Every structure is written in structure tokens, then in C-alpha cells.
Amino acid sequence: MTMASSNTPIPVDDGFNEYESAIKRQKSTTSKVWDEMTKLECENKNELKAQCNHCKTIFSAKSSSGTSHLRHHLNSCLKKVNKDITQYTIGIQPSPEGVPSIKNYKFDADECRKAISTFLVCGKHSFRIVEEPGFRYMMRIASPNFKNISRYTAVRDVLMYYAKERDRVKEELAKEPGLICLTSDNWNSEHTNDEYICVTDHWVDKDWKLQKRIIRFRALFPPYDGLNIEDELVLCLSQWGIDKKIFSTILDNASYNDVMVSCLKNRFRANRAILCDGAFFQVRCCAHILNLIVKAGLELADDVVGKIQNGIRYIKKSGIRRKRFYDVADKSFHLNVTKKLRQDVCVRWNSTYLMLESSLYYKDVLDYLGQRDKDYQMFVLSDDEWRNVTIICKFLKVFYDVTCVFSGSNYPTANLYFRGVWKVHKFLLDTVKSPYSFLTAMVKQMQEKFNKYWAEYSLILSCATILDPRYKLNYVQYCFNTIYGVHASDFVETILSNLRLLFDEYVKKSKSTSSSLAGSSNVSDKNLVDSGLDEHNDNSADFGEYFDESDDYKRYLNESSTRSEKSQLDIYLEEPELKLNSQIDVLDYWSKSSVRYNELSLLARDLLAIPISTVASESAFSMGKKVITPLRSSLKPKTIQAVVCLGDWMRVKGFSAEIGCKKDDDDDEDDEDDEDDDVSSVAF
């Protein structure tokens, strides 16, 4: 097999530049004159003519001639009767007198096609929908001027729309003043068996608002190991121009991520693009860790949980049994039957908690059913088992509440995580000492996993908490005292010293930026001053030309004053905290404090942007399941990426991708189980 010559163009398939071909294929004849002009073919292929659709006059249509002369003709064409009759429509809003107003309406084919792309992307509709008779009828009624498009044109429109929005997002990232945090996760599509990587950027913008954008949703090539994923991530960061703006990466507990992070750290160290030698670079997904911890504990309570699970499944399997159950609950026990029995999902422990909670609510009804339905009697719980369910439910509620915070749809700032994780840690320690012996084995297994996470990431969680004016250092000291007692001071000192090191890095960066700006503006003045000093300082040689102590003395004075001055971090820590449970927006606080704490606010901007959870990527995979369906499994990787990323970017513009998609696929009832299911819809 012969190798391709060096002049042979290599097809671009890198997840970034391959979209340029879609832009190049865009028709150049976008001028409105072509709505009323027809191109004519000539014998000479280099010559192009245009014919007026009204008077049939023929004009030159060379690209060098432009279209101005064609537009002038159309404006004065005598055969063009009722020039603007199609451009007027009855206004929707009446005038102040109550009479409908006539207002100029201009049909824009490009905007209409863009709106169709938005419809396809946000609704995850098949591209074939634009060829369906119903869709074309709707468009014909909505706008008679609209020309039907094929599914291939719809795909090209989406790719072009994506490429333009991608360039806008890239420019937005380049202008942001702070650093960027990444979440990255992998997902395997059951329909194509492809492994996809999702990369999401998180940052605090210039207006101190938390932002996130999916910048990559791409099929990987095997092998799916740490080295391959690291290459993919480096390529992505380079293409987006943010390879020197990364503060931290948030990953799940997969083993290949350790290899990937190690390689990334070495690469960033070589480019001097990493802070504190990577102490804040890697963060494990906190929601993922909690998920592993609780699932490990629930395995030891399978017996009682399994009984409830199978019993609820038995009731919900039959419509008649389900109706009878709720009738008894309403008429005999006077319960609010709008709160339904919950059936758990095997991959979501939080749905198990909701199932146990609902079973406790209907405990009397379930016991009543067990006395009258011989088929249900095998699922009836004893009093001791119900007591254990009550204890397990209270135990899981702590984890559920913390997970609700971690999995928030607005992706909370990093300062909120420490308090939740500490509560879990404290709760595990207290439960071991509780009188409930059946919980001891469960909790010990949970503690093993939790202690490993706490030891590795309490530093990052604590530093973010210190930058919350309600907590600061005192709250962190209190939390560590409740866990470690007399040894707490060692942990707190380590945290504070690392925070000081990180702050010093920001001070250096701020000074180097300001000095470079000042140096570039004052270099000419400095030269003039220096030359004047050399001219008039005749006595400078009296004490030896080899040494002038004046500059050295100035440096000494500056260093002495710097040592004696308190840093912004010290001043911030000495100020009294705000009330512990006061409701404040921590980003708004630092926005208002940025003048007083210039360097410290830069640190706060980046540290608080750490999401601590890969929920953003997990939600993208939920979106991916709607894009890659059995009927759409042949979509090209670049099309899938365009639909997923563009859908995420449309969310920022106010188009919600989740409208009408709240229900789980597992629900088999039309109106049940969703009144408070904010968290159970998130797959960890």
C-alpha cells in the first residue's frame, strides 16, 4: 500500500476544524436580489448572467460586479407591481386607539433557517422532521415565503450554526479575567457502543456570575486509557485556546483518570501553567464518592430493602391493585394520595431513599394489604424490620440532603461543599457509637471509602470555605475539632499554609501584570530621568564606581515595609464573620470586595468556581441519550457534538433543554412520582 504524498490534503477530523467545511459549503448568493433574479447559464463558463423575474431584462452577474446594479434595477423596475405587498402584515399588538396597526414585516430566510436549527437542537428532534408533510404544512402556513429544506440542508445549517456559536464562546473564554475549571467524564452509548468524552468549562465571569459551557462531546478512539484521554483533553484545550488558563480538573473515581491527571500535571508543569505544583489541580467528584459510599452500605441492608422493593413492584404492576391501594389509603386511613408510592431505580441510591420514605408514609396501608392479600403476604415486614427501615431512612436522609446541594441545577459554588461533607463525616462517626448494632457494619464499610476521599480533598474544600465570609477560618477549626480533637490544629495549619502559598502566587501574578503595564508606559520617561541623573550626579564616583547602594537601599526599604504590612488574606481573616446561616451570594460579596481585596478576590473567583461534582457532564450524557437513539445511531460524531454543545449553549440564551423531559423513562404511570424528584433525575 503506497503512502500518500506530502501534497495530498489530510482530511480533518479533530472535533474542531472539521466544521469549517460546512461553512465553506454555504451558498455565496445570499443577497436578497436573488429572490427576484434568476441566474442564467452561458456558453462561456467564466461569464455569468442574471435575468429579472419581472421584466426579463438580462444583466451581468460576475462576482466582481457585485449586486448593487441588480438592486437598483429592482427598485425602479416598471414591471414590478405591488412591490412590497408581501412584506406587510397585521401587527399582533393593537395601537393605543385599539385599532390593529400595519407594520412592516420583512421575511428573513436566514433567520427562519436559524430558528429551525434551534428547534431541532433544543428539542433533540430528528433531522428528518423537516421533510415530514406536517412540518412543511406548518411552515407554509406560518410563512408562505419559506422554501422547504431537506434533512441534509438542516444538518449543514446546524453545523454552521454550531461553528459560529463555537467561535463566539471561544472569544468569550479568551476575554474572561479568571481561570477555568474543567469537569470531564466518559460515557458509553448503548446504541452505538462508542465511548464518548464530555468536557465542560466552569468559570466566574467578569460580572461575577457562575458560568458553564460544554466544549467537547466527542467519540473516543480505543484504547480508552489515561494516555489516550489525556491526548484528547490536551488537543481540546489547545483548540479552544485555554491550555494556559486551567485551574483545576474535576473527575470521577475511574482508575484511568489518575494516569491522565499525572500526564496533564507534567505537561502543565513544563509550560509553567499550574499553581502550587498541582495541589489544587485534581478534585474527585464528591457526588460520585457519596454514591459509592451509600451503595456500599445499602448492600448490607438488601433483605429489608428488597422486600419493600418487590412489594411496591407487586402493587404498581396491576392497575386494579394500584387503584384499590390508593382508595384504601384515602378512605380508610385519610392519607394524601397525591404523594405516591415510589419505585426505586437500581442505579440511583437516592431513589431507594425516596422509596423507603414513601413506604413509611404508607406503612399502615401496606400492613392492611398484607392481612387481606395472600399474594402480598410474602412482602410484609415485621415490627423490627419496620423499625430498621425507619432508622435506615433517617440515616440516608443526611446523604440525600447533601446530595441535593451537590447536584443542584445551578451548580453551586465550592464554598457550599465543605459543610455538607463535614456533616457526613461527623454523622458517620456518631453512628458508629449509636446503639443500633445492625448499622455498625454498614457504617464501617462506608467510613473506609469516605476517609480516603476526606484525606485527599479536605484541603480544597476547606480553602473554599475559608473564603466564605460566614465561615472563614473559625468554622473550619470548629469542624476539625469535632473530628480530630487535639490534633485538629495540625490539619488547620496545613490548610492555612497552602492557602497562603496559593495567595502568594496570585500576588506575584498581579504584580507582574501591573509592572509590565507600567513598564511599557513609562519606559521612555525612565530613560529620560536616568540620563538626567547620570548628567548631574558628579559625586557618584567619589565612593567607587563599582557599587551604588541607592537602588539596593530602596529594595531593602520596600521589603521591610512589605514584611511589616499585613496581607489582604490576613486582614480578611481578622475581620469578624457574618452570621452563620445568613443568606448571601458569596460571588456578590467578592464582587463588592474586589476593590478592597484586589488579589484575594482574584483567588476567590477561581477557587469558588470549582464545581466539586461532574453532574454537569452527567447531565450532558442524559442529553446524549436523547440525541443518540436507535433511530439516530448513524449520526456522524461531529453532528452529535454540534447538537449536544449547541443545545447547552442555547440554554444560556434561555432555551431550556429539559422542558417536557422531567419524567424518568422508568415511570409507568402518567401522573405519579415527580412532584419532588429534582435529584432522582440525575444519574450519578
Side-chain angles (χ1 to χ4, degrees):
M1 185 175 179
T2 57
M3 293 182 63
S5 65
S6 58
N7 296 326
T8 304
I10 301 173
V12 178
D13 186 20
D14 60 358
F16 198 85
N17 297 309
E18 58 186 316
Y19 296 93
E20 304 306 321
S21 59
I23 298 176
K24 291 177 182 177
R25 290 187 63 175
Q26 187 178 13
K27 295 180 181 179
S28 59
T29 54
T30 55
S31 174
K32 303 301 179 186
V33 302
W34 297 110
D35 294 338
E36 301 175 74
M37 289 278 183
T38 303
K39 285 187 178 182
L40 300 177
E41 295 183 0
C42 302
E43 293 181 4
N44 184 359
K45 293 184 179 180
N46 294 326
E47 190 176 358
L48 192 63
K49 299 288 185 180
Q51 186 179 54
C52 175
N53 294 345
H54 307 290
C55 65
K56 307 303 180 184
T57 307
I58 296 176
F59 302 89
S60 170
K62 289 182 179 180
S63 58
S64 58
S65 303
T67 57
S68 299
H69 63 296
L70 304 179
R71 192 180 301 108
H72 292 321
H73 167 75
L74 290 172
N75 290 335
S76 59
C77 181
L78 299 176
K79 295 283 187 179
K80 185 180 177 183
V81 185
N82 298 328
K83 299 176 187 175
D84 296 317
I85 193 66
T86 62
Q87 302 300 329
Y88 286 91
T89 184
I90 302 296
I92 297 174
Q93 297 295 332
S95 64
E97 293 79 16
V99 181
S101 59
I102 301 291
K103 61 181 184 181
N104 196 9
Y105 161 73
K106 192 78 172 175
F107 174 74
D108 191 326
D110 293 336
E111 281 298 316
C112 191
R113 295 258 291 268
K114 185 177 175 182
I116 291 174
S117 296
T118 303
F119 164 76
L120 293 171
V121 167
C122 293
K124 309 296 177 292
H125 299 293
S126 169
F127 290 107
R128 287 180 181 272
I129 198 173
V130 300
E131 296 178 345
E132 292 180 3
F135 180 86
R136 291 185 169 180
Y137 173 74
M138 177 185 69
M139 294 304 299
R140 186 167 66 250
I141 296 298
S143 178
N145 293 329
F146 177 74
K147 294 180 180 179
N148 291 331
I149 61 174
S150 68
R151 64 182 183 272
Y152 304 108
T153 303
V155 171
R156 282 200 301 272
D157 285 351
V158 167
L159 296 182
M160 285 189 291
Y161 192 10
Y162 164 79
K164 291 176 182 177
E165 284 296 308
R166 178 202 63 196
D167 293 341
R168 185 189 62 78
V169 174
K170 183 179 178 181
E171 184 179 353
E172 182 183 359
L173 289 174
K175 291 180 179 178
E176 290 303 335
L179 299 180
I180 294 169
C181 301
L182 294 179
T183 55
S184 175
D185 205 355
N186 290 7
W187 168 69
N188 183 270
S189 170
E190 61 181 321
H191 303 302
T192 64
N193 205 30
D194 288 327
E195 189 84 7
Y196 286 84
I197 184 173
C198 179
V199 181
T200 310
D201 284 357
H202 304 259
W203 74 96
V204 176
D205 64 16
K206 58 181 175 23
D207 298 320
W208 288 87
K209 301 296 181 185
L210 197 59
Q211 301 287 346
K212 87 164 184 73
R213 303 286 187 279
I214 297 174
I215 62 170
R216 196 139 180 117
F217 192 92
R218 190 76 179 163
L220 294 169
F221 295 102
Y224 310 124
D225 55 17
L227 293 175
N228 193 21
I229 294 173
E230 185 251 352
D231 289 339
E232 181 75 15
L233 199 54
V234 168
L235 176 64
C236 171
L237 299 180
S238 176
Q239 289 169 341
W240 281 87
I242 56 174
D243 48 333
K244 294 186 178 179
K245 293 189 69 174
I246 302 303
F247 182 74
S248 70
T249 56
I250 297 83
L251 308 163
D252 66 13
N253 212 34
S255 57
Y256 57 74
N257 282 329
D258 294 330
V259 178
M260 187 260 286
V261 167
S262 178
C263 295
L264 271 181
K265 279 184 179 180
N266 292 334
R267 196 183 290 256
F268 285 172
R269 281 192 191 103
N271 296 330
R272 296 182 179 179
I274 194 168
L275 295 171
C276 292
D277 198 38
F280 295 84
F281 186 71
Q282 182 186 9
V283 182
R284 296 281 189 196
C285 172
C286 202
H288 186 75
I289 296 295
L290 287 182
N291 183 44
L292 293 176
I293 290 170
V294 178
K295 285 178 73 174
L298 281 175
E299 287 177 1
L300 300 176
D302 267 350
D303 292 343
V304 66
V305 172
K307 270 190 178 182
I308 294 176
Q309 187 180 56
N310 293 326
I312 292 176
R313 188 178 293 125
Y314 169 80
I315 294 169
K316 298 184 78 172
K317 194 173 183 179
S318 166
I320 296 174
R321 282 197 295 267
R322 188 166 62 239
K323 184 178 183 305
R324 188 186 304 133
F325 177 86
Y326 289 125
D327 284 345
V328 170
D330 181 23
K331 295 173 183 177
S332 301
F333 293 92
H334 308 293
L335 296 175
N336 179 11
V337 294
T338 57
K339 181 181 176 69
K340 303 296 183 180
L341 270 178
R342 304 297 294 260
Q343 191 168 342
D344 73 335
V345 183
C346 61
V347 295
R348 300 173 185 165
W349 72 263
N350 42 5
S351 68
T352 304
Y353 163 74
L354 294 172
M355 178 188 71
L356 297 178
E357 184 191 42
S358 68
S359 68
L360 284 172
Y361 180 77
Y362 285 106
K363 172 184 177 299
D364 294 335
V365 187
L366 292 171
D367 288 341
Y368 176 89
L369 180 64
Q371 295 169 5
R372 286 160 178 77
D373 188 338
K374 63 179 181 180
D375 293 328
Y376 182 78
Q377 287 177 358
M378 61 188 298
F379 308 123
V380 174
L381 273 65
S382 65
D383 290 341
D384 287 340
E385 287 175 324
W386 275 120
R387 189 161 49 251
N388 290 346
V389 170
T390 305
I391 295 167
I392 291 173
C393 200
K394 288 180 180 178
F395 178 78
L396 291 179
K397 188 179 188 309
V398 176
F399 292 88
Y400 179 79
D401 291 342
V402 171
T403 305
C404 283
V405 175
F406 290 179
S407 308
S409 58
N410 294 324
Y411 306 105
T413 46
N415 57 300
L416 301 178
Y417 293 94
F418 177 84
R419 193 175 185 182
V421 175
W422 167 76
K423 282 184 176 181
V424 170
H425 197 169
K426 181 78 165 55
F427 184 67
L428 290 174
L429 292 174
D430 293 342
T431 307
V432 170
K433 304 170 186 175
S434 71
Y436 308 116
S437 56
F438 77 97
L439 279 180
T440 305
M442 179 195 298
V443 171
K444 283 184 177 178
Q445 192 163 345
M446 292 171 128
Q447 273 187 314
E448 289 178 9
K449 292 182 178 294
F450 185 85
N451 289 341
K452 184 176 183 296
Y453 176 81
W454 177 264
E456 291 178 353
Y457 302 109
S458 58
L459 166 65
I460 298 172
L461 298 173
S462 302
C463 289
T465 302
I466 290 172
L467 294 177
D468 188 322
R470 294 167 296 184
Y471 303 138
K472 295 193 176 180
L473 189 60
N474 285 334
Y475 186 79
V476 173
Q477 287 175 328
Y478 160 75
C479 292
F480 275 87
N481 275 326
T482 60
I483 296 172
Y484 298 111
V486 293
H487 302 290
S489 58
D490 297 334
F491 292 95
V492 174
E493 189 59 38
T494 301
I495 291 165
L496 192 55
S497 62
N498 276 277
L499 183 59
R500 291 188 191 281
L501 287 173
L502 184 61
F503 175 66
D504 290 342
E505 297 246 14
Y506 276 81
V507 171
K508 290 176 186 175
K509 189 165 65 171
S510 177
K511 286 182 178 178
S512 64
T513 303
S514 58
S515 63
S516 62
L517 291 173
S520 60
S521 62
N522 298 330
V523 64
S524 57
D525 296 337
K526 183 178 183 299
N527 290 338
L528 289 172
V529 172
D530 287 347
S531 62
L533 286 172
D534 291 341
E535 228 173 84
H536 298 288
N537 194 7
D538 295 332
N539 297 324
S540 61
D542 292 348
F543 302 100
E545 295 180 357
Y546 66 92
F547 180 69
D548 183 358
E549 77 280 6
S550 57
D551 290 337
D552 192 52
Y553 179 61
K554 287 178 183 176
R555 278 195 297 271
Y556 169 77
L557 291 176
N558 287 334
E559 289 174 1
S560 300
S561 61
T562 303
R563 282 195 296 267
S564 61
E565 289 178 3
K566 290 182 179 179
S567 70
Q568 293 177 12
L569 178 60
D570 292 328
I571 296 172
Y572 165 77
L573 292 176
E574 287 177 0
E575 289 184 344
E577 300 88 354
L578 302 181
K579 289 184 179 179
L580 182 62
N581 294 316
S582 57
Q583 298 296 318
I584 68 163
D585 183 344
V586 69
L587 294 180
D588 182 61
Y589 169 85
W590 282 107
S591 172
K592 294 174 180 176
S593 304
S594 58
V595 175
R596 185 181 181 194
Y597 301 120
N598 184 21
E599 290 92 356
L600 190 58
S601 66
L602 298 176
L603 166 60
R605 182 200 297 272
D606 296 338
L607 194 57
L608 293 172
I610 299 177
I612 313 292
S613 169
T614 59
V615 169
S617 297
E618 296 284 358
S619 61
F621 298 147
S622 298
M623 194 188 305
K625 291 176 184 177
K626 298 181 179 73
V627 175
I628 310 171
T629 64
L631 298 178
R632 306 179 74 191
S633 56
S634 61
L635 285 176
K636 292 181 179 179
K638 69 176 183 179
T639 307
I640 293 171
Q641 175 168 270
V643 171
V644 172
C645 292
L646 195 54
D648 179 68
W649 302 341
M650 290 295 99
R651 172 193 55 80
V652 182
K653 295 185 176 183
F655 295 95
S656 174
E658 299 301 323
I659 293 176
C661 301
K662 275 191 169 186
K663 276 189 175 291
D664 292 335
D665 296 334
D666 316 274
D667 291 344
D668 56 356
E669 296 177 36
D670 294 335
D671 55 357
E672 290 192 14
D673 298 353
D674 287 296
E675 65 270 12
D676 58 355
D677 195 18
D678 293 328
V679 169
S680 63
S681 61
V682 180
F684 293 104

